Amino acid sequence: MSKPSLLIDTDPGVDDALAILMAHAHADVSGLTIAAGNVGLGHTVRNARTLVDLVGAPTPIFAGCPTPLVRMPEEDAVHVHGADGLGDVGFAEPKAVASAEHAVQAILRLTREQPGLTLVALGPLTNLALAVRLDPGLPQRVKRLVIMGGAVTGLGNTGKIPAEFNIGFDPEAAHVVFEAFPAFDLVDWEVVLRHAFTDEEFDGWLAAGDERARFFEQVFRTARAFNLKRGRRGVIAADALAMAVAIDPGMVTRSESRHVAVEMDGRLTRGATVVDWTDRLGQPANARIVMEVDQARFGAMVRRALGA
Ligand code: BDR
Ligand code: CA
């Protein structure tokens, strides 16, 4: 497996944190462009800086849009990730600094300077939507786009039943991106639930790992307690699964290529990802929907990223 070069748009966030650790363990990271989502932009930028300190890499960080494109979000994910987005551990002020360049400008510049980057979107798609509106040539310059988002049969995880958080936070942005990119990999919430780790194996990695494992064990406590309360089994790692697919596309063992659109209006369905499973509209498939991955390969990548 050759080392891919990644540009990561993210709203860290606990599972974003694990994905960022994986990226630095297995790939070259050209930058982190930061979205608002799980928590406000001030926190997500600071969390990215904390993570860059932890991995000790010179990864540039670019702050992006503080709000969705059109409507203010109905919910954040403080109840999952903690008020600061990283489990309210109380980390010291990070040393890494964010660049003065806006995330949207950085996406355009870096993809021009480094054609063939893989874009990995782990948060609401606000920054990517603005970037592709500013420069419609963006999709042609990147090797792949991998998106963590959506719920392809309507089993979402937000107050709008069929909507997944990243898409539901900024449906207009997701609509722009889904229309503008002719081909992307979609790692939805439902495939994430099918690829949870057992608590036993994950705790084993945390116990055997290095300072990255100790960091993750701390930041994960809030999200873990939330998942338990919700009756969710095992360790669910949404952004980590998308990152694994970005790093190693060969780990996908089953996928479905379909046209996927985003609902922007529905009273009960705003933010839903609507999949044309039976090709009723005859539109070209834009999404390769990841259905199954090699769980052992996924686990090995996470384990190594924790230093275990
Ligand atoms: C997605 O929403 C966020 O809370 C997670 O970081 C992940 O990107 C899962 O729905
Ligand atoms: Ca995220």
Side-chain angles (χ1 to χ4, degrees), residues 102-250:
H102 194 282
V104 174
Q105 301 293 353
I107 291 169
L108 296 178
R109 178 179 59 77
L110 289 166
T111 54
R112 281 196 197 103
E113 289 172 0
Q114 303 170 45
L117 285 175
T118 292
L119 276 179
V120 194
L122 306 177
L125 292 164
T126 319
N127 294 331
L128 270 191
L130 273 183
V132 76
R133 276 290 196 252
L134 275 174
D135 181 356
L138 172 64
Q140 278 68 56
R141 287 202 299 280
V142 297
K143 186 169 173 199
R144 297 168 64 212
L145 166 62
V146 180
I147 296 174
M148 191 284 126
V152 296
T153 71
L155 302 173
N157 60 358
T158 70
K160 294 271 190 295
I161 300 301
E164 176 279 334
F165 181 81
N166 288 341
I167 306 299
F169 190 90
D170 193 347
E172 282 77 18
H175 165 76
V176 168
V177 171
F178 281 37
E179 294 240 306
F181 280 78
F184 52 87
D185 284 353
L186 191 65
V187 176
D188 83 316
W189 178 248
E190 298 172 29
V191 73
V192 164
L193 293 182
R194 290 195 294 275
H195 293 84
F197 299 113
T198 67
D199 289 300
E200 294 71 32
E201 68 184 331
F202 198 81
D203 285 337
W205 303 336
L206 290 181
D210 59 18
E211 70 282 358
R212 293 167 292 180
R214 287 189 284 282
F215 171 90
F216 195 75
E217 193 275 324
Q218 284 183 292
V219 303
F220 186 42
R221 284 182 200 155
T222 311
R224 203 165 200 184
F226 173 82
N227 285 337
L228 207 65
K229 218 168 66 200
R230 273 286 159 97
R232 290 177 183 156
R233 289 177 39 245
V235 173
I236 300 160
D239 293 337
L241 182 59
M243 185 56 73
V245 169
I247 293 166
D248 179 11

Side-chain angles (χ1 to χ4, degrees), residues 19-33:
I20 290 167
L21 295 181
M22 288 167 71
H24 285 87
H26 301 284
D28 295 321
V29 184
S30 292
L32 301 175
T33 58

Side-chain angles (χ1 to χ4, degrees), residues 28-99:
D28 295 321
V29 184
S30 292
L32 301 175
T33 58
I34 310 300
N38 284 319
V39 289
L41 188 70
H43 284 305
T44 55
V45 171
R46 181 184 161 125
N47 294 344
R49 294 169 52 218
T50 299
L51 282 156
V52 164
D53 277 359
L54 174 68
V55 294
T59 308
I61 299 164
F62 307 94
C65 302
T67 64
L69 291 185
V70 180
R71 283 206 227 162
M72 286 309 110
E74 285 173 28
E75 53 188 278
D76 58 24
V78 162
H79 52 298
V80 186
H81 301 261
D84 73 355
L86 279 186
D88 296 324
V89 174
F91 295 113
E93 179 68 19
K95 292 194 179 64
V97 287
S99 158

